Amino acid sequence: MTRKGGNPAPDQPVSIASVARRAGVSIATVSRVINGIANKASADTVAKVREAVAALDYRPSSAGQSLRQRKSRLVAVLAANMANPTMAAIAASVEVALREKDLVMVLCDTHDKPELQDEYLKEMRAQQARAIVLLGAVASPLLAALRGSTTPLIFVNRLDPGGGASPFVGIDNDAAGADMARHALSRGLVRPAIIHAPLTSSATRARVEAMARVYAEAGHPVPPERRLGPPLRDHLAIGHHAVRLLVEQGLSCDAYLCTGDLIAFGARKALVEARGDAGSAPFFGFDDNPLNDWVAPWLSSMRIPYAAYGEAIVDLILSENGEAPRQRILPHALVIRPAAGEG
Amino acid sequence: MTRKGGNPAPDQPVSIASVARRAGVSIATVSRVINGIANKASADTVAKVREAVAALDYRPSSAGQSLRQRKSRLVAVLAANMANPTMAAIAASVEVALREKDLVMVLCDTHDKPELQDEYLKEMRAQQARAIVLLGAVASPLLAALRGSTTPLIFVNRLDPGGGASPFVGIDNDAAGADMARHALSRGLVRPAIIHAPLTSSATRARVEAMARVYAEAGHPVPPERRLGPPLRDHLAIGHHAVRLLVEQGLSCDAYLCTGDLIAFGARKALVEARGDAGSAPFFGFDDNPLNDWVAPWLSSMRIPYAAYGEAIVDLILSENGEAPRQRILPHALVIRPAAGEG
DNA sequence: AAGTAAAGGGAAAACGTTTTCCCTTGGCGT
DNA sequence: ACGCCAAGGGAAAACGTTTTCCCTTTACTT
């Protein structure tokens, strides 16, 4: 209704040439006007071009642009595991931030497998992706190779497994782990179980080490049998398995420190299954998914500002002018939920 | 280590021309070998080309391909709301299925807003997307225009708001709603509350109508005051708000039939806040997120096979040869969880 | 033995941009 | 008057594919 004629242009045969024709100018001029090149078009030329663009509902073909400029508007996000709500939250945040800058998100699930990650990296090189965001990177051959290229590589949550000081967005996992342990100690919880994901993730490693360190320094070292990290991929299974082990061995704990909320979910379920109730030892997790308030009022969790990740990541992508690769460390905060009355 | 020389090719200046040069054949031949055109290359030509491709780690530029073929390998997935774990689950499933067919997923969050949806549709037209998957479509001008184009449009969960019999993947929401109501009736629950999302979604509408119909036919019509659909966007808030209203009005129910799990989460929380416990009336939801088993053992839910959606969707995209636009109706199943002992 | 078909392969056009040259005006300073 | 510079704008190259014509050689049919 807002446009004059019925000019929907069925399938988009509308190229820059047609715009140029309608505006009575050259292709070059249209391109310049669209891209806002100053001093290259008079006021009425600009007006004519704009009119034609609007009338034809023209939008430059991405293929043409990519080909010419040797780079696309695509930004790849390689997530280690989309089943984890955390990844979804970050992806959502990134998407919004990218949209603002007229970039487009391509989302891939690497399932934490190096081969698959490489496959995607290859694909994204073929797509001439503007940047690649790694939500939980794993070491892989192509990743190493790509580190030398001009394509910005942004590491999120987990540091670059290659070791270099690559651009990074995340929290201070050491501080966060320490904070959690100190809080537990302050509540007199001196016999915790530490249940964690595989230590291949730098984030997990830092959290676990910080907790153990703080406990050791406080004179309550956590012995190996209370440090559990089953080599499973599924966080729920990790927690479940760990607590079952704990129960079988008759080890009692006064707190469950988990490196992820999902692990805590699994842990608690195993406990309920084993004893009929969840006991009185509080559960601690990381991530603090928004749903926790609704379905896990028993879970204290380290809140990580995932909603702010998108902006930080896109910032890092665009400020590629920067020399020293910067790290964006965002604030964390422990959200305490009363382990109290659930009945 | 697996390749001979140190030939990582820093930034991908490796085009089809370089492959042709190395193999000692023409560009055309390389293209044909890569695309598997039969009867156009002798055995050793093929071998030479393959060798060169492998040695140079060549992969065709997507931009070049898209430009020439006037279509890209991108498939757009427009999700109404990525914060909903359901959407994330479907997206994950689609991604896997696409990968298998060498397609790439572009994920966009329309936030259920027509303008944003149109913005994305426009972008995807510019990208010459191979297909567009609408995870909860909303009516919008460009959507109507696109329906006439050759780009496949796949509607998921919600039917095409334009009314046409467009390709669709989802469950039989009418049957599912009826099943749920019948189950509740069979348990003697005759005073249910029906709490639902905005009825702009065809899926929600069908569920609600089926429930109401079954109850009415059984001689227990559900009066308006027990049918609640606050016009909020957030499902959690919908459920919360609805139950608060119910409580304030002193209306008692013996079951909570919610059109989504998140709504049930909100509903139960409001109930706990109001009375101190969750009462004995069972909760019912739709979607049955895998996490329910871990964090919501009190919630019965209509399981929807989201993991199977990806394959069905990709099938529909590729079988565009088909004439009669097909609908893929997947099976649903009510998962009963004992509302029993939560203490 | 001639004619024909098929196999194998190359040259070049086309896809839609952006950008580098180049040309033409006017206006200005000397 | 002369030279210069800036503004405004066009022609054409280049980006990397796929595909349509071609052309040559070989094998097979009559």
Side-chain angles (χ1 to χ4, degrees):
Chain A
M1 293 307 149
T2 161
R3 296 191 206 88
K4 300 273 285 241
N7 56 356
D11 246 336
Q12 167 96 346
V14 43
S15 72
I16 197 174
S18 45
V19 175
R21 221 159 18 236
R22 187 184 222 269
V25 301
S26 78
I27 287 183
T29 298
V30 174
S31 176
R32 286 190 283 246
V33 168
I34 289 179
N35 295 331
I37 308 289
N39 289 346
K40 273 309 209 175
S42 68
D44 33 320
T45 302
V46 169
K48 276 189 300 183
V49 171
R50 287 211 200 295
E51 188 276 338
V53 165
L56 297 173
D57 195 21
Y58 168 73
R59 180 138 177 172
S61 143
S62 304
Q65 292 184 308
S66 302
L67 190 55
R68 172 64 219 228
Q69 319 181 135
R70 327 177 102 246
K71 71 177 171 185
S72 73
R73 297 212 319 285
L74 265 37
V75 170
V77 174
L78 307 200
N81 171 17
M82 278 216 263
N84 192 326
T86 296
M87 299 289 180
I90 300 179
S93 150
V94 170
E95 200 265 351
V96 170
L98 286 176
R99 166 97 243 103
E100 208 147 313
K101 304 295 185 190
D102 237 320
L103 295 172
V104 175
M105 179 176 81
V106 173
L107 186 52
C108 314
D109 191 342
T110 67
H111 293 91
D112 238 335
K113 296 183 193 158
E115 324 85 64
L116 211 46
Q117 177 176 291
D118 263 7
E119 173 56 25
Y120 278 121
L121 288 176
K122 208 166 171 182
E123 171 69 31
M124 289 312 143
R125 202 176 45 176
Q127 297 276 359
Q128 289 165 118
R130 179 75 60 93
I132 301 181
V133 178
L134 291 126
L135 252 52
V138 54
S140 79
L142 203 51
L143 180 60
L146 225 49
R147 213 177 285 112
S149 87
T150 61
T151 323
L153 242 46
I154 316 284
F155 292 84
V156 179
N157 279 357
R158 281 186 219 161
L159 291 166
D160 182 353
S166 315
F168 173 78
V169 174
I171 63 166
D172 182 339
N173 284 294
D174 185 89
D179 286 351
M180 182 173 285
R182 274 192 290 264
H183 166 84
L185 272 169
S186 80
R187 281 167 61 172
L189 305 165
V190 295
R191 283 182 54 84
I194 297 179
I195 311 180
H196 58 84
L199 296 176
T200 44
S201 155
S202 68
T204 302
R205 226 160 38 230
R207 293 172 191 178
V208 170
E209 282 169 9
M211 290 181 192
R213 188 184 65 239
V214 167
Y215 264 95
E217 286 170 356
H220 299 286
V222 182
E225 63 270 22
R226 274 195 277 114
R227 294 162 67 158
L228 302 126
L232 304 171
R233 206 161 256 153
D234 180 13
H235 280 201
L236 294 161
I238 289 174
H240 196 263
H241 190 80
V243 166
R244 208 162 45 187
L245 217 65
L246 234 34
V247 169
E248 279 170 9
Q249 301 183 330
L251 286 166
S252 82
C253 312
D254 53 11
Y256 297 91
L257 306 179
C258 309
T259 59
D261 284 350
L262 262 47
I263 295 178
F265 292 167
R268 186 173 129 120
K269 180 144 193 266
L271 200 58
V272 170
E273 285 170 1
R275 346 156 62 234
D277 69 15
S280 63
F283 288 82
F284 294 87
F286 274 79
D287 292 340
D288 201 37
N289 188 280
L291 281 182
N292 284 352
D293 269 332
W294 305 81
V295 294
W298 45 268
L299 178 65
S300 295
S301 186
M302 191 60 72
R303 174 155 295 169
I304 302 181
Y306 290 124
Y309 273 37
E311 204 181 348
I313 291 168
V314 173
D315 253 32
L316 238 40
I317 290 176
L318 297 181
S319 76
E320 195 51 18
N321 46 353
E323 294 73 25
R326 274 174 302 179
Q327 323 260 114
R328 285 273 207 288
I329 306 300
L330 300 173
H332 58 267
L334 187 55
V335 175
I336 308 295
R337 294 201 180 78
E342 25 163 325
Chain B
M1 290 306 148
T2 161
R3 296 190 208 88
K4 299 273 286 241
N7 55 356
D11 245 334
Q12 166 95 344
V14 43
S15 71
I16 197 175
S18 45
V19 176
R21 225 164 9 242
R22 187 184 220 272
V25 300
S26 77
I27 288 183
T29 299
V30 174
S31 176
R32 286 190 283 245
V33 168
I34 289 179
N35 295 332
I37 308 289
N39 289 345
K40 273 309 210 175
S42 68
D44 33 319
T45 303
V46 169
K48 277 189 300 184
V49 171
R50 287 211 200 294
E51 189 276 339
V53 166
L56 297 172
D57 196 21
Y58 168 72
R59 180 139 177 172
S61 143
S62 303
Q65 292 184 309
S66 302
L67 189 55
R68 171 64 220 229
Q69 320 182 132
R70 328 180 100 242
K71 70 176 171 186
S72 73
R73 297 213 318 285
L74 265 36
V75 170
V77 173
L78 308 199
N81 171 18
M82 279 216 263
N84 192 327
T86 296
M87 299 287 180
I90 300 179
S93 151
V94 170
E95 200 266 352
V96 170
L98 287 176
R99 167 97 242 103
E100 209 146 314
K101 304 295 185 190
D102 238 319
L103 295 172
V104 175
M105 178 177 82
V106 173
L107 186 52
C108 312
D109 192 342
T110 68
H111 293 91
D112 239 335
K113 297 182 192 155
E115 325 84 63
L116 211 46
Q117 178 177 292
D118 263 6
E119 174 56 26
Y120 278 120
L121 288 176
K122 207 165 171 182
E123 171 70 32
M124 289 312 142
R125 202 176 46 177
Q127 297 275 358
Q128 288 166 116
R130 181 74 60 92
I132 300 181
V133 178
L134 292 125
L135 252 53
V138 54
S140 78
L142 203 51
L143 180 60
L146 226 49
R147 214 176 284 112
S149 87
T150 61
T151 323
L153 243 45
I154 316 284
F155 292 84
V156 179
N157 279 358
R158 282 186 220 162
L159 292 166
D160 181 352
S166 315
F168 172 79
V169 174
I171 63 166
D172 182 339
N173 284 293
D174 184 89
D179 287 351
M180 182 173 285
R182 273 191 291 263
H183 166 84
L185 272 169
S186 79
R187 282 166 62 174
L189 306 166
V190 296
R191 283 183 53 87
I194 298 179
I195 312 179
H196 59 82
L199 296 176
T200 43
S201 154
S202 67
T204 302
R205 225 162 35 231
R207 293 171 191 178
V208 170
E209 282 169 8
M211 291 180 191
R213 188 184 64 239
V214 167
Y215 264 95
E217 286 170 357
H220 300 285
V222 183
E225 64 269 23
R226 275 195 277 114
R227 294 161 67 159
L228 302 128
L232 304 170
R233 208 163 254 155
D234 179 14
H235 280 200
L236 294 161
I238 289 173
H240 196 264
H241 190 80
V243 165
R244 208 163 45 187
L245 216 66
L246 234 34
V247 170
E248 279 170 11
Q249 300 183 329
L251 285 166
S252 83
C253 313
D254 54 11
Y256 299 91
L257 306 179
C258 309
T259 59
D261 284 350
L262 263 46
I263 295 179
F265 293 167
R268 187 174 128 119
K269 179 143 192 267
L271 201 58
V272 170
E273 285 171 2
R275 349 155 61 235
D277 68 17
S280 63
F283 288 82
F284 294 88
F286 274 80
D287 291 341
D288 201 37
N289 188 280
L291 282 181
N292 284 351
D293 270 330
W294 305 81
V295 295
W298 44 268
L299 178 64
S300 295
S301 186
M302 191 58 73
R303 174 154 296 168
I304 302 181
Y306 289 124
Y309 273 37
E311 204 182 348
I313 291 168
V314 173
D315 253 33
L316 238 39
I317 291 175
L318 297 182
S319 75
E320 196 51 17
N321 46 353
E323 294 72 25
R326 273 174 304 180
Q327 323 260 114
R328 285 274 207 285
I329 307 300
L330 299 172
H332 59 267
L334 187 55
V335 175
I336 308 295
R337 294 200 180 77
E342 23 163 325

